[in-house]
Amino acid sequence: MYGDDATVRKILTESGDTWAVVGLSSNRQRAAYGVAQVLQRYGKRVVPVHPKAETVHGEQGYASLADVPFDVDVVDVFVNSDLAGAVADEAMAKGAKAVWFQLGVVDEDAYARTRAAGVDMVMDRCPAIEIPRLA
């Protein structure tokens, strides 16, 4: 288990409300689209990060984390596991307080690096599943 319940709760309730969702596009068939909707319902600002830089759920999109012109609190990662480590590194460089790898996204080295840097991280879990449990 990568991310105990206390860490999940901390990220969802204390780490901040600006979530960059890496891999979020306007494709309604993708999991990121629905998860971002749930996060918004629970009061999170969702910032789409995708090469297309599309506006999604009313929020301006950006091609990369580095292009986001403001601070982000949490980086939610919807990319293949082999690309996720680089996103975790970008999240740390951006100053994010937490990194969340979605269900099926696993990179143990990235998890170790992120935690060693003092950044909270959850891996292979979904905030849209976890956040309603906190209510």
Side-chain angles (χ1 to χ4, degrees):
M1 182 72 94
Y2 302 99
D4 55 68
D5 289 340
T7 303
V8 168
R9 178 175 294 280
K10 181 180 177 188
I11 292 172
L12 290 172
T13 64
E14 300 172 26
S15 294
D17 291 333
T18 301
W19 285 54
V21 181
V22 178
L24 175 58
S25 71
S26 61
N27 183 345
R28 294 171 183 262
Q29 305 306 312
R30 305 291 299 178
Y33 190 89
V35 170
Q37 275 185 315
V38 171
L39 289 170
Q40 278 188 325
R41 244 190 333 266
Y42 281 87
K44 307 299 182 190
R45 178 183 183 191
V46 172
V47 180
V49 178
H50 188 282
K52 293 180 183 176
E54 298 172 306
T55 296
V56 184
H57 301 309
E59 289 284 347
Q60 168 64 49
Y62 299 91
S64 71
L65 276 174
D67 291 341
V68 178
F70 47 83
D71 292 339
V72 296
D73 300 310
V74 181
V75 176
D76 189 7
V77 182
F78 279 92
V79 299
N80 292 329
S81 295
D82 58 339
L83 303 174
V87 177
D89 295 338
E90 291 172 30
M92 289 187 289
K94 181 84 177 146
K97 297 174 194 150
V99 176
W100 192 300
F101 281 9
Q102 280 295 323
L103 288 171
V105 180
V106 176
D107 181 329
E108 293 180 8
D109 291 337
Y111 184 83
R113 280 195 312 274
T114 303
R115 299 293 293 147
V119 176
D120 289 324
M121 184 165 179
V122 170
M123 188 163 66
D124 195 27
R125 291 177 81 168
C126 179
I129 293 169
E130 303 298 337
I131 202 167
R133 295 179 182 172
L134 299 178

